[in-house]
Amino acid sequence: MTNINLRSRRGADGPLGFLVALPVWWATIGALLVLGYWFWSLAANVMGSTRGTQALLAGRDPEVARRELLSVALGGYAADFADVAATERGRAVTRDVNTTVDVHAFPSPDQVTVQVRTLTRIERFYPRPPEAGWE
């Protein structure tokens, strides 16, 4: 029987080393997949919101531009983010995405929350101060 000395600098080799390392690799790869999906969906939603705001300022439909970018970036997962953007318009356009998405990967949490907010100022001349006061 092999004794494991935790203070030793010598690693376990053979089948014992594989059995010790396998759960660590399993958990690490699972965490990287979940975090990778979360960061990728955050980046796609930020870019989609920015593109939608630019389309709104150019006089086009902002949701078409946002959904096109999301469908390209997220593929089949874009349906989770299709109708979750809220838009406020004034001297600046603010877009919010705040949703919880189910994740079907093991080992991972059951749900991941995605929160995105973008702000784009409308650059033009305003002869008076804003009605709500200065920002």
Side-chain angles (χ1 to χ4, degrees):
M1 176 163 197
T2 305
N3 292 330
I4 299 176
N5 183 4
L6 296 177
R7 295 184 184 268
S8 172
R9 292 182 179 259
R10 185 170 176 241
D13 58 348
L16 181 62
F18 178 74
L19 289 176
V20 169
L22 186 63
V24 175
W25 279 105
W26 184 264
T28 303
I29 290 172
L32 286 175
L33 287 174
V34 169
L35 286 174
Y37 169 75
W38 182 61
F39 280 117
W40 181 251
S41 63
L42 281 174
N45 277 286
V46 167
M47 283 302 301
S49 295
T50 304
R51 286 272 174 95
T53 303
Q54 291 168 352
L56 177 70
L57 296 177
R60 297 190 314 266
D61 185 12
E63 288 303 307
V64 171
R66 186 181 73 84
R67 287 182 182 175
E68 282 178 359
L69 191 129
L70 284 178
S71 65
V72 169
L74 297 176
Y77 296 106
D80 296 331
F81 304 102
D83 297 320
V84 295
T87 304
E88 294 178 22
R89 188 168 182 183
R91 290 191 178 191
V93 178
T94 305
R95 310 239 354 180
D96 292 320
V97 172
N98 186 359
T99 188
T100 301
V101 179
D102 293 329
V103 177
H104 304 291
F106 181 79
S108 72
D110 294 334
Q111 296 178 335
V112 173
T113 301
V114 176
Q115 296 177 335
V116 173
R117 184 170 187 169
T118 60
L119 173 81
T120 305
R121 297 198 181 276
I122 301 173
E123 300 294 335
R124 58 174 78 127
F125 174 72
Y126 296 100
R128 296 184 194 102
E131 293 142 6
W134 294 104
E135 298 171 348

